[in-house]
Amino acid sequence: DATCEAGVCQSSRKRACVAWRQTGGCTPNGNRERRSDRDCEAVIDDGQSGYCECADGSRARASTCSHAPFTCARACQSFERELCLGWKASTTCEASGPADPSRDQGCRELVPNGVAGYCLCGMGRRVHRSGCDESRHAREPLVCAEACAQPESLYEIMGLEGEPASDQDVKKAFREMSRGLHPDKVRQRFGPEGADEANERFKEVRYAYDVLSDTSRRAAYDAGGYSLLAKLEKDKQLPRSSNVDAETRVSLETLYHGANLTVAIDKRVVCEGCDEQSRTRHPTRCSACNTRCPDETVVAKVRLGPFMVDQQQRRPSKQRCRIDRESLEFYVQPGSRDGDVVRFERAAPQTPNKLPGDVNLKLVLDPHQRFSRVDDDLYTTVAISLRDALIGFRTHIVHLGGHHVPLASAPGDVVTPGMAVRINGEGMPRNVDPLERGDLIVEYDVRFPETLDLTTRDMVEAYFPSYVA
């Protein structure tokens, strides 16, 4: 195997390059297009399919039309990255966790669901699979021979285990990779050949960082790989699929306290590298991609009288999709309101050659048994007896916040039916400043007796006038 240290991997076997061999149909197994063959130093851009022929007869970087720019000289030199050495299991749900040799496997075996670890490829390359989510692994089955044969993803080049990676994760990874690949440090330890390898590797790391640190370019890459990224860099903007409007019900307590919530949605995902021409090369990884993708809109040349004009046409997509169950996590701010919308950027179902739209999640308030809300004020009704309304009372109510709010009327004060009191600062938190709160309005429901016995009737008749002056 290769010698790897400080981020620099030197192949155990030098492979010279012969040429780039172009094929048709966006598949490396397509018909040869000899007129489009290129020399070893030519940059092979996205949109070309074929393979690099190396001097020992091996085929490096067998590519569909979706790939990062590369040269065959570099591809043959690093061909061992495409060779599988086996599956290395972890004892935890982290790919880089402590090793579990008892669950290691060969390159052609299907990795069991719910097991984290990595595929060990040549030249120290590792294709990580983290997490212990069996359902997610079932949607993305893994055979290491197929995984190593795939070109490195930008996340893999950066040493990140995969999505999601924050902006800080990307910056931190770039700093660490840059230190390990510094030319002076590498030349001192590995000599001129090691410095050349480090220089080439740094170019790849720099390209990966430039894409992943740019919001628009990263969004295009995440949605459609290198092909959509190339389309963005060519056209400067990309069409978006439609936004999705959804609702989730929340309690008044949630709007009062705030809460971290999770909502599950079904999301269509475009399976990169699983189109009609390519899926035979990755049968395991593409096995879950059995859903037809939406039609694509293409621009075609059509004749209109003596002229040729561009016309948009809808055509069946050659891509394949799958349906994932995805969790959307969000925080409800204290004081949020019924009808507020939480926006999840680019979380809508994917469509080939488009950026995903947004998911707009509307908060819908469930009716509360004791409280209602108007703006930032809370309203509630408290029932009291006629006796208490006449001679005074002391009681309390349990607030949404869990504390007791005292209520009372002084002796001599009479509470009339429908009378309301306002208690300052006991309402909902104000969204702009949760430390400020609205008011609590308590309306009294005076309960009259349904019947009166003779003694009580005589007492009322004696002490209360029969008319109002």
Side-chain angles (χ1 to χ4, degrees), residues 90-109:
S90 167
T91 57
T92 69
C93 293
E94 297 293 329
S96 54
D100 183 2
S102 65
R103 294 196 289 181
D104 289 353
Q105 294 189 187
C107 292
R108 300 287 176 184
E109 297 177 83

Side-chain angles (χ1 to χ4, degrees), residues 245-255 261 263 330 332 336-342 360-368 373:
D245 294 327
E247 295 181 351
T248 185
R249 306 198 72 86
V250 293
S251 66
L252 192 57
E253 284 86 354
T254 296
L255 299 185
L261 300 181
V263 173
F330 60 102
V332 177
S336 297
R337 300 190 177 194
D338 180 27
D340 281 357
V341 174
V342 182
N360 298 315
L361 187 65
K362 182 179 179 181
L363 304 182
V364 179
L365 177 63
D366 277 331
H368 196 274
R373 177 185 185 176

Side-chain angles (χ1 to χ4, degrees), residues 433-446:
D433 184 359
L435 295 179
E436 294 186 8
R437 299 178 184 274
D439 299 335
L440 172 64
I441 292 86
V442 179
E443 181 179 334
Y444 291 112
D445 176 19
V446 180

